[in-house]
């Protein structure tokens, strides 16, 4: 008894220690590293996305362990100016600013100056000038960006952009264009889909279009670049001295010609860059609107994306159940030669990530001539992935039906399939109803993975809205409430099934 | 109606049945008795192909079963003419009593639902359960469930009925309800083979008693002869 109480107190002390450690870590992490911390550390950590591609930051094709790009060189030069060395930190492009103050001191990755970014982060003086280049296949009927105003032969033009980029903002702003905008996480994915005829055109920074010109020989630039802007280096809001030091360092690199030399080395028209940078005005920060305005503006978009989440779930889950049931029945009662294949199907789909499967369906199938629309690929991918889990549940359910049931059916002269259809499967379905409903809730949340293949559902919409408005916490709460509003009824349904089943088994025991 | 010739069955290296030969005439009742593990249930299950056997042959209701596996079609044809009632009832728990009875006639014989239902109700009436047509098996007593199971088997109009210890899972009162139904069937001229430990039933209804011991026919003959001096 005494020992037990002591043990309990000891346990409490341990928990307090853990809590204190966590609080300490959080406090340490909350303060962004200022210039002095960076100098003391001897390292400037810069965030970028190597998936974003060249010429900014990309993997050297000749030496895949090495990162190259004009921003890699720029980061090295800046760090040297600050008296430290540069260290790269990987992040997903549209979420790079979220690394600031935690995993990175600054973000250098083709981040365009926008009023919203100037409001939420510290933006350096411009270091590169870009314009937007429209790209299409050589055989495309498009002859200028203005031609997007009239619908194409297949309806609105499908135009690919990098999610969160200036190109996306420009395309969504241009209500005069008859376009359907499709967001990608990487430029190369986008260009592959353009080559595979899933897209009609793509809009991107001119330097990216030129960089990929050789690799995508069947594409061409449509008209001259338009709607330009400049890139800026982002730092955390509470690091004024770091931001000032970066501005000064950039100033020195511009005046003494080292930045021009860098751009010339990368075939980025150094002389013209200097001309543009000299003239580029600073972007004034945007005003932060009221929370009510924000929610009024965001809610319709979030609701529409919640509709997409629902569509993905209700379209894929019945399919998953049907495939899963067929696989389970095949594995238990099908011909012997079929069983190893079905077992393989289940193991492959259960043993690989859903994200990878969606990628294969969406980005690899077009290479063998089967270009699925993103929505179809998403529904099919979810259905196949979940069918593997469903089939295991059904298999357990079918095994849980007493052997006497099958015998009784056979003894009445039923065929194997009649016994399955009328006797075994209906009972198995009743047994596995609770795990299946809870699986539906899991699938419902897994739909967020579909954003990887350009389907904008609730989570993706949240992420885009949160980053463009800077209201990360407020919108997270609204989004979470929407998810709960949708999954709560499903939970209730699942519990109802369980209660009903318990009642029935109590009755049959009585 | 049934002729079993030199039947041998082996399970996991053990000889369960050994040179079993017996005949059942149409319209008669044969009870299989003997100690547990004597092979009674196995013999019964060989009669409708639920179990395979190693040697010998079975002729039943005009069909012939030989040693080894049979194509599913052949077994389905046998089972349409041979009904079976199990110790554990094995009613379909997701269906009401009447649906249990009408399922096989509808899907195996393609009987129209309305006809299947009216005949099903007649059968439930015969086993004294027409009031419970829409009840789920879980709400019925064991004796009632077994009577529904008998009606379910009869619905296929089998030429032979096999009973595998139909009352072992029941208390004496419920056993009596079920046995009354079986005796009634016997009076109606239904050919039956009944595995039972209930010698009282054997005396009352059997034409022939076959005693199986260690997989062999130990004795066979009329009940008065075989069960003389045996209690129960």
């Amino acid at each position: 008894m005494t020992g037990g109480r002591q043990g309990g107190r000891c346990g409490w002390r341990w928990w307090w220690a853990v809590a204190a450690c966590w609080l300490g870590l959080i406090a340490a992490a909350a303060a962004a590293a200022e210039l002095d911390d960076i100098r003391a550390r001897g390292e400037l950590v810069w965030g970028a996305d190597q998936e974003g591609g060249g010429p900014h930051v990309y993997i050297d094709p000749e030496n895949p362990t090495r990162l190259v790009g004009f921003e890699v060189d720029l980061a090295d030069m800046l760090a040297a100016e600050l008296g430290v060395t540069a260290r790269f930190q990987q992040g997903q492009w549209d979420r790079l600013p979220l690394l600031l103050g935690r995993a990175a001191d600054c973000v250098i990755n083709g981040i365009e100056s926008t009023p919203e970014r100037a409001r939420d982060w510290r933006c350096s003086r411009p270091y590169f000038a870009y314009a937007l280049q429209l790209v299409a296949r050589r055989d495309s009927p498009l002859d200028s960006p203005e031609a997007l105003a009239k619908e194409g032969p297949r309806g609105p033009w499908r135009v690919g952009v990098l999610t969160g980029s200036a190109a996306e903002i420009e395309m969504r702003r241009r209500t005069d264009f008859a376009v359907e905008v499709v967001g990608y996480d990487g430029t190369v994915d986008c260009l592959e889909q353009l080559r595979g005829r899933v897209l009609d055109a793509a809009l991107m920074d001119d330097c990216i279009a030129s960089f990929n010109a050789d690799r995508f020989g069947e594409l061409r630039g449509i008209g001259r670049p338009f709607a330009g802007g400049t890139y800026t280096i982002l730092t955390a809001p509470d690091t004024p001295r770091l931001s000032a030091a970066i501005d000064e360092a950039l100033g020195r690199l511009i005046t003494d010609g080292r930045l021009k030399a860098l751009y010339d080395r990368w075939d980025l028209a150094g002389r013209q860059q200097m001309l543009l940078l000299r003239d580029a005005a600073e972007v004034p920060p945007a005003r932060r609107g009221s929370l009510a305005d924000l929610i009024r503006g965001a809610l319709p978009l979030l609701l529409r994306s919640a509709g997409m989440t629902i569509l993905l779930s209700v379209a894929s889950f019945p399919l998953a159940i049907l495939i899963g049931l067929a696989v389970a029945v095949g594995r238990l009662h099908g011909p012997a030669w079929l069983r190893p294949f079905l077992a393989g199907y289940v193991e492959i789909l259960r043993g690989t990530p859903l994200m990878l499967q969606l990628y294969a369906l969406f980005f690899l199938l077009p290479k063998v001539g089967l270009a699925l629309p993103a929505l179809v690929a998403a529904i099919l991918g979810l259905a196949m992935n979940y069918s593997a889990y469903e089939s295991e549940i059904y298999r357990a359910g079918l095994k849980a039906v007493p052997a006497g049931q099958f015998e009784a059916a056979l003894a009445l002269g039923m065929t194997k399939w009649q016994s399955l259809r009328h006797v075994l499967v209906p009972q198995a379905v009743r047994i596995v109803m609770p795990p299946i409903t809870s699986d539906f809730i899991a699938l419902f949340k897994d739909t967020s993975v579909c954003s990887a293949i350009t389907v904008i559902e609730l989570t993706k919409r949240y992420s885009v809205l949160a980053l463009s408005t800077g209201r990360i916490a407020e919108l997270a709460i609204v989004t979470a409430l929407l998810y709960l509003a949708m999954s709560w009824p499903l939970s209730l349904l699942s519990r109802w099934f369980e209660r009903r089943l318990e009642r029935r088994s109590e009755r049959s025991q009585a | 109606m049934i002729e079993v010739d030199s039947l041998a069955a082996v399970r996991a290296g053990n000889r369960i049945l050994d040179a079993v030969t017996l005949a059942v005439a149409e319209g008669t009742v044969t009870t299989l008795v003997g100690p547990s593990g004597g092979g009674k249930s196995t013999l019964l299950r060989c009669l409708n192909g639920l179990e395979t056997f190693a040697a010998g042959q079975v002729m039943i209701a005009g069909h012939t079963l030989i040693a080894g596996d049979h194509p599913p079609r052949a077994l389905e044809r046998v089972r349409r003419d041979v009904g079976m009632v199990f110790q554990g009832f094995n009613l379909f728990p997701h269906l009401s009593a009447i649906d249990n009875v009408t399922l096989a006639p509808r899907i195996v014989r393609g009987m129209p639902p309305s006809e299947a239902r009216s005949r099903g109700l007649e059968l439930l009436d015969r086993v004294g359960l027409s009031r419970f047509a829409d009840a789920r098996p879980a709400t019925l007593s064991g004796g009632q469930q077994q009577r529904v199971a008998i009606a379910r088997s009869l619905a296929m109009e089998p030429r032979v009925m096999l009973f595998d210890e139909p009352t072992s899972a029941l208390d004496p009162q419920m056993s009596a309800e079920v046995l009354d139904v079986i005796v009634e069937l016997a009076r109606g001229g239904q050919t039956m083979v009944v595995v039972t430990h209930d010698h009282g039933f054997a005396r009352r209804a059997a034409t022939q008693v076959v005693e199986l011991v260690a997989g062999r026919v130990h004795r066979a003959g009329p009940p008065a002869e075989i069960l003389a001096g045996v209690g129960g």
Side-chain angles (χ1 to χ4, degrees):
Chain A
M1 193 65 200
T2 320
R5 208 183 300 152
Q6 263 176 359
R9 218 182 295 146
C10 237
W12 273 112
R13 213 174 295 151
W14 190 81
W15 281 112
W16 278 116
V18 170
C21 281
W22 271 106
L23 283 176
L25 278 175
I26 292 166
E34 249 293 20
L35 187 57
D36 321 311
D37 306 314
I38 291 165
R39 287 203 164 123
R41 195 199 305 144
E43 210 175 45
L44 175 73
V45 183
W46 62 288
D49 186 359
Q50 50 190 342
E51 207 189 337
H56 305 73
V57 177
Y58 61 103
I59 287 170
D60 186 350
E62 267 129 49
N63 177 6
T65 59
R66 210 168 75 102
L67 216 52
V68 292
F70 78 87
E71 285 174 338
V72 178
D73 293 351
L74 177 61
D76 285 339
M77 284 162 74
L78 274 176
E81 287 296 304
L82 300 184
V84 294
T85 55
R87 182 162 69 82
F88 167 77
Q89 169 63 50
Q90 166 66 27
Q92 190 177 314
W93 191 78
D94 60 346
R95 295 194 181 89
L96 284 173
L98 300 183
L99 299 179
L100 291 175
R102 276 177 290 184
D105 303 315
C106 61
V107 170
I108 312 177
N109 200 199
I111 304 288
E112 302 96 339
S113 300
T114 63
E116 290 77 18
R117 286 179 179 135
R119 179 192 66 207
D120 298 329
W121 317 97
R122 280 191 181 273
C123 296
S124 75
R125 62 179 291 174
Y127 67 88
F128 187 85
Y130 71 91
L132 297 175
Q133 174 69 56
L134 191 68
V135 176
R137 282 180 303 277
R138 281 171 189 270
D139 60 6
S140 167
L142 281 172
D143 50 7
S144 73
E146 284 69 40
L148 291 173
K150 241 177 69 190
E151 276 198 7
R154 295 191 296 172
W157 302 96
R158 290 171 58 85
V159 180
V161 292
L162 201 58
T163 303
S165 68
E168 181 177 25
I169 296 170
E170 173 68 11
M171 268 297 129
R172 297 205 188 277
R173 192 179 64 83
R174 293 293 293 263
T175 46
D176 54 327
F177 283 170
V179 293
E180 181 192 335
V181 186
V182 187
Y184 289 83
D185 287 337
T187 311
V188 173
D189 286 341
C190 176
L191 289 171
E192 287 282 3
Q193 296 268 294
L194 176 55
R195 169 151 72 186
R197 300 183 178 271
V198 177
L199 296 173
D200 296 310
L203 188 67
M204 62 194 61
D205 299 357
D206 49 358
C207 58
I208 302 178
S210 327
F211 180 82
N212 286 290
D214 292 342
R215 180 167 167 189
F216 293 89
E218 51 281 78
L219 305 181
R220 65 182 174 97
I222 305 297
R224 298 291 303 165
F226 62 102
T230 55
Y231 292 162
T232 181
I233 297 174
L234 298 183
T235 47
D238 52 352
T239 56
R241 273 173 299 132
L242 173 60
S243 171
I246 288 176
D247 276 350
E248 282 164 27
L250 277 175
R252 283 196 296 277
L253 294 176
I254 291 172
T255 24
D256 66 13
R258 276 183 289 166
L259 197 62
K260 173 178 178 294
L262 168 68
Y263 290 148
D264 282 335
R265 211 161 53 242
W266 282 94
D267 199 7
L268 290 167
R271 193 184 300 274
Q272 196 191 355
Q273 280 293 333
M274 291 310 113
L275 180 71
L276 292 167
L277 291 182
R278 201 188 296 152
D279 287 347
E282 216 177 290
V283 177
R287 212 169 48 81
R288 191 179 271 257
S290 78
L291 187 59
D293 283 343
L294 167 79
I295 291 179
R296 210 171 298 133
L299 202 56
L301 284 171
L302 286 172
L303 280 175
R304 201 180 319 146
S305 310
M308 175 56 88
T309 293
I310 292 176
L311 172 68
L312 287 170
S313 325
V314 301
S316 60
F317 201 62
L319 212 56
I321 284 184
L322 283 180
I323 303 173
L325 186 57
V327 170
V329 168
R331 280 186 78 181
L332 286 175
H333 300 284
W337 60 264
L338 183 66
R339 294 180 196 185
F341 289 100
L342 294 176
Y345 173 86
V346 170
E347 290 314 323
I348 287 171
L349 286 171
R350 274 203 316 182
T352 57
L354 172 59
M355 170 94 86
L356 197 68
Q357 294 161 17
L358 289 172
Y359 258 86
L361 280 177
F362 189 58
F363 292 113
L364 297 186
L365 280 187
K367 291 194 190 292
V368 295
L370 187 64
L372 295 176
L375 187 60
V376 175
I379 291 171
L380 203 64
L382 282 169
M384 282 173 58
N385 182 268
Y386 269 77
S387 73
Y389 295 94
E390 297 318 296
S391 83
E392 286 299 281
I393 294 177
Y394 273 115
R395 210 156 67 98
L398 282 167
K399 281 184 166 172
V401 177
Q405 291 292 313
F406 197 19
E407 286 191 346
L410 291 178
L412 286 165
M414 291 186 209
T415 65
K416 187 156 92 176
W417 297 111
Q418 284 172 332
S419 312
L420 280 166
R421 153 99 178 69
H422 294 281
V423 176
L424 299 188
V425 170
Q427 292 186 56
V429 170
R430 283 166 172 78
I431 293 170
V432 301
M433 224 42 186
I436 283 188
T437 8
S438 79
D439 245 21
F440 185 48
I441 299 173
L443 172 131
F444 179 74
K445 290 177 296 182
D446 262 358
T447 53
S448 63
V449 178
C450 296
S451 66
I453 57 167
T454 77
V455 174
I456 297 187
E457 41 59 64
L458 188 49
T459 299
K460 185 65 178 181
R461 176 68 70 193
Y462 157 70
S463 152
V464 171
L465 279 172
L467 292 168
S468 62
T469 61
R471 299 279 198 166
I472 295 169
E474 298 89 332
L475 288 172
I477 293 170
V478 174
T479 307
L481 286 176
L482 280 175
Y483 268 113
L484 272 178
M486 296 187 284
S487 66
W488 182 247
L490 290 174
S491 288
L492 290 181
L493 187 71
S494 146
R495 232 167 294 152
W496 179 76
F497 271 129
E498 256 164 71
R499 271 202 307 273
R500 213 172 75 135
L501 222 69
E502 270 163 27
R503 266 209 308 276
R504 185 174 299 170
S505 64
E506 273 162 24
R507 245 192 346 231
S508 62
Q509 273 159 21
Chain B
M1 180 63 67
I2 306 176
E3 274 176 48
V4 177
D5 184 20
S6 318
L7 196 68
V10 178
R11 295 283 173 275
N14 295 319
R15 198 155 265 262
I16 307 290
L17 294 174
D18 191 6
V20 172
T21 297
L22 60 88
V24 175
E26 184 159 9
T28 67
V29 177
T30 297
T31 59
L32 297 177
V33 300
S36 297
K40 305 184 296 291
S41 289
T42 305
L43 173 56
L44 199 72
R45 292 160 63 83
C46 286
L47 296 183
N48 71 345
L50 276 185
E51 297 206 14
T52 57
F53 45 89
Q57 76 168 21
V58 171
M59 289 205 283
I60 184 163
H63 308 277
T64 303
L65 292 170
I66 51 165
D69 290 320
H70 292 85
R73 292 266 159 268
L75 291 177
E76 286 149 22
R77 276 197 299 274
V78 173
R79 290 169 185 154
R80 270 171 230 177
D81 290 333
V82 181
M84 189 169 205
V85 172
F86 299 85
Q87 180 179 351
F89 329 137
N90 299 357
L91 286 183
F92 306 135
H94 60 297
L95 299 178
S96 64
I98 183 71
D99 288 339
N100 263 277
V101 175
T102 59
L103 180 65
R106 281 190 288 115
I107 66 171
V108 176
R109 299 175 65 182
M111 191 181 284
S114 57
E115 188 189 342
R117 186 175 168 85
S118 66
R119 285 176 28 99
L121 288 172
E122 268 169 44
L123 285 167
L124 284 178
D125 193 39
R126 240 167 98 188
V127 299
L129 290 174
S130 48
R131 284 190 300 133
F132 296 100
D134 295 314
R136 288 290 170 106
T139 63
L140 299 175
S141 76
Q144 290 168 330
Q145 289 192 49
Q146 192 61 300
R147 285 185 280 158
V148 173
I150 293 171
R152 176 176 72 175
S153 248
L154 290 174
M156 288 295 285
E157 302 185 311
R159 298 178 59 196
V160 178
M161 283 280 280
L162 308 176
F163 291 85
D164 190 4
E165 304 203 25
T167 59
S168 310
L170 301 174
D171 65 30
Q173 200 212 320
M174 292 196 285
S175 293
E177 298 171 5
V178 171
L179 288 177
D180 286 346
V181 169
I182 299 175
V183 169
E184 198 55 43
L185 281 177
R187 290 210 183 104
Q190 174 77 53
T191 311
M192 296 194 282
V193 180
V194 185
V195 171
T196 183
H197 289 287
D198 185 340
H199 292 168
F201 168 76
R203 285 199 188 90
R204 197 169 138 206
T207 328
Q208 157 178 245
V209 175
V210 175
E211 187 181 16
L212 281 178
V213 177
R216 287 170 165 274
V217 177
H218 185 62
R219 289 186 297 168
E225 199 175 291
I226 304 297
L227 299 173
V230 181

